[in-house]
Amino acid sequence: MVNRVRRVARVVGERDADGRPLWRQRDFGCFWLAQTLSVLGDSFSLIALPLLVLQATGSVARMGLLTGVGGAAMVVAAVFAGVVVDRVDRRRLLIACDLVRMVLYGLVPVVWLVGPQLWLLYVVLPLCEGVGMLFAVGYVTVVRGLVGTGRLTEANGRLNATAAAAGVLGPLGAGLVAAWTGPANAVAVDAASYAVSAGCLFLVRVGERAGDEHAARGRGLWRDLRTGIDHLVRQPVLRSLTGLLAVFSFLSLGITDLVIYHLKHDLGHDDGTVGTVLAVGAVGTITGALLVAGLRRRLGFGPTWIGSTALCGLAFAGLGWVRPVPAVAVLTAVYLGCAGMAGTCSMSLRQEITPEPLLGRVTSAHWTLQYSVAPVGAAVLTWAAEQYGTARVAAVAGACCALTGLAGLGTPIRGAGRAPASGQPFTPV
């Protein structure tokens, strides 16, 4: 076991010392392409599924209910995802997740040929969100194995930037496809993207990992689940971060439904406009992802995360009040850009300071706690918007999001250090 750990540590050290641009590293490049294609498809469903519900019911509350059901499935899957990821071959798991989602999303346009079947969406989306959580936890662990610890923020920033670029094309394409041929056909594009993503992952070689994944099989499920939570509780920065993100997620999970409802119901625009606004918003994500590594080096983790989270809230607060479509697009871009920066910082921090054998379980525990009440928040947010109007609800929820970010000033997050240089350990506080 000791020799094995040393061998893996040597491989990770070589990855840290590799000075080639990330796009020239074959395995990371294939993984990068697979993730971009997966996000491209996701962005189609992000628009198409709420449009299918709105088309059939005209209700933003029903849209929020679908989002909440999907979020609840994601939380349930997150409880067990880390244990699964730390016990199985992670590359094969990612491929299997892509293929399962390809089949499930492919059912929607086929069934819609007969006629709208809303019940199918309440079956398919939760299953896909659960499988997606397995993919997301596995994805986080694989990145560290591909690039080492010294380039994690850079790698995550690049992944998020190209994912956001796909997000520009995705909502725009989904809006156009939905306007021309119906939202169900936009879901078909999502299904096809997973097939191509799985093919790319077949080409990725993931190095052997240090750890206790074989020993874990004999320790019991409950002990494995507690391991990730115990690590979060003992680490002051991660503990504070998880608590604040749980509040932020409760307030903001339903924001996409709110933007769609505001554009279509309040302002009277079509599906194409919805896609265009969210595509412009994704440009903000690209900008944030490209800037985050440099900002974190200059400012440190704490100021970067606190500032970007607070700005998210301010942008959210203004979304329901503005009426010109360009203004909605700009605020959406600010929100998504700052959310992307905060998310990249948060994920990179967990990858840097968590022991590799625990990374799946810690990531799973973090996301379980972060999203545990978010589905309820999405349902409440959209119900309130239907009852009291998007302007008032967005203002209240956005202000609370901003205060959540600023609350980080009173926690160990404020003093969190800068990103590590290549090969150097990270000091969280």
Side-chain angles (χ1 to χ4, degrees):
M1 176 64 71
V2 173
N3 289 335
R4 184 175 175 224
V5 172
R6 288 175 178 171
R7 186 167 63 252
V8 175
R10 184 169 62 252
V11 171
V12 173
E14 289 171 356
R15 291 185 183 277
D16 280 345
D18 190 346
R20 290 180 300 164
L22 290 175
W23 63 269
R24 293 186 60 188
Q25 298 180 24
R26 176 190 173 278
D27 292 324
F28 180 78
C30 291
F31 181 79
W32 196 351
L33 178 60
Q35 179 64 9
T36 302
L37 290 171
S38 182
V39 173
L40 177 64
D42 282 340
S43 62
F44 266 72
S45 289
L46 179 71
I47 303 298
L49 293 180
L51 286 177
L52 283 172
V53 175
L54 191 61
Q55 184 184 71
T57 68
S59 170
V60 67
R62 294 291 295 274
M63 293 166 65
L65 179 61
L66 180 63
T67 301
V69 169
M74 182 175 64
V75 171
V76 173
V79 174
F80 305 100
V83 176
V84 174
V85 168
D86 284 341
R87 292 185 179 202
V88 305
D89 184 289
R90 292 167 179 174
R91 172 178 165 274
R92 292 179 182 176
L93 177 65
L94 296 183
I95 293 171
C97 289
D98 272 344
L99 293 178
V100 169
R101 287 184 289 179
M102 175 194 72
V103 173
L104 289 173
Y105 277 125
L107 289 174
V108 174
V110 173
V111 172
W112 241 253
L113 292 174
V114 179
Q117 302 290 333
L118 287 180
W119 65 267
L120 181 63
L121 301 184
Y122 289 93
V123 173
V124 167
L125 184 62
L127 290 174
C128 286
E129 290 290 354
V131 174
M133 175 56 69
L134 278 174
F135 185 95
V137 175
Y139 153 79
V140 170
T141 64
V142 167
V143 173
R144 175 166 160 172
L146 288 173
V147 303
T149 57
R151 303 182 73 177
L152 276 171
T153 302
E154 179 189 358
N156 288 328
R158 296 297 180 269
L159 284 163
N160 289 341
T162 52
V168 172
L169 298 177
L172 181 60
L176 293 176
V177 171
W180 293 341
T181 65
N185 289 324
V187 181
V189 176
D190 189 10
S193 73
Y194 287 121
V196 181
S197 174
C200 293
L201 288 172
F202 270 111
L203 303 176
V204 176
R205 297 169 299 177
V206 179
E208 186 182 14
R209 51 185 167 144
D212 56 357
E213 65 270 16
H214 296 297
R217 294 177 182 141
R219 291 190 317 207
L221 177 61
W222 176 241
R223 183 174 176 183
D224 274 345
L225 294 174
R226 286 187 57 188
T227 299
I229 296 175
D230 288 345
H231 183 82
L232 286 176
V233 172
R234 288 195 304 266
Q235 218 296 326
V237 178
L238 293 183
R239 181 175 64 241
S240 302
L241 193 63
T242 302
L244 292 178
L245 283 173
V247 176
F248 185 88
S249 298
F250 174 85
L251 295 165
S252 64
L253 183 63
I255 189 172
T256 300
D257 294 334
L258 212 64
V259 171
I260 293 174
Y261 185 73
H262 182 53
L263 288 168
K264 289 184 65 67
H265 180 268
D266 298 343
L267 305 182
H269 293 288
D270 60 12
D271 294 348
T273 302
V274 171
T276 301
V277 166
L278 292 180
V280 172
V283 175
T285 308
I286 298 174
T287 304
L290 293 176
L291 293 176
V292 64
L295 284 175
R296 188 183 167 189
R297 281 194 298 269
R298 292 184 182 90
L299 303 178
F301 170 83
T304 303
W305 186 87
I306 292 170
S308 56
T309 304
L311 285 175
C312 275
L314 295 178
F316 188 2
L319 274 171
W321 292 98
V322 296
R323 301 191 67 82
V325 172
V328 176
V330 168
L331 287 178
T332 303
V334 173
Y335 176 87
L336 292 176
C338 292
M341 292 178 64
T344 299
C345 282
S346 173
M347 182 166 62
S348 299
L349 179 74
R350 289 196 311 276
Q351 290 168 315
E352 289 160 2
I353 67 177
T354 301
E356 205 277 342
L358 299 177
L359 189 52
R361 279 163 283 177
V362 170
T363 299
S364 178
H366 172 82
W367 282 342
T368 299
L369 297 173
Q370 177 181 345
Y371 292 109
S372 57
V373 293
V376 177
V380 171
L381 184 75
T382 51
W383 172 84
E386 192 167 81
Q387 297 296 315
Y388 304 108
T390 53
R392 292 179 181 178
V393 172
V396 172
C400 291
C401 285
L403 291 174
T404 300
L406 293 175
L409 293 171
T411 72
I413 294 172
R414 178 181 180 181
R418 288 178 163 79
S422 178
Q424 295 179 345
F426 175 79
T427 302
V429 291

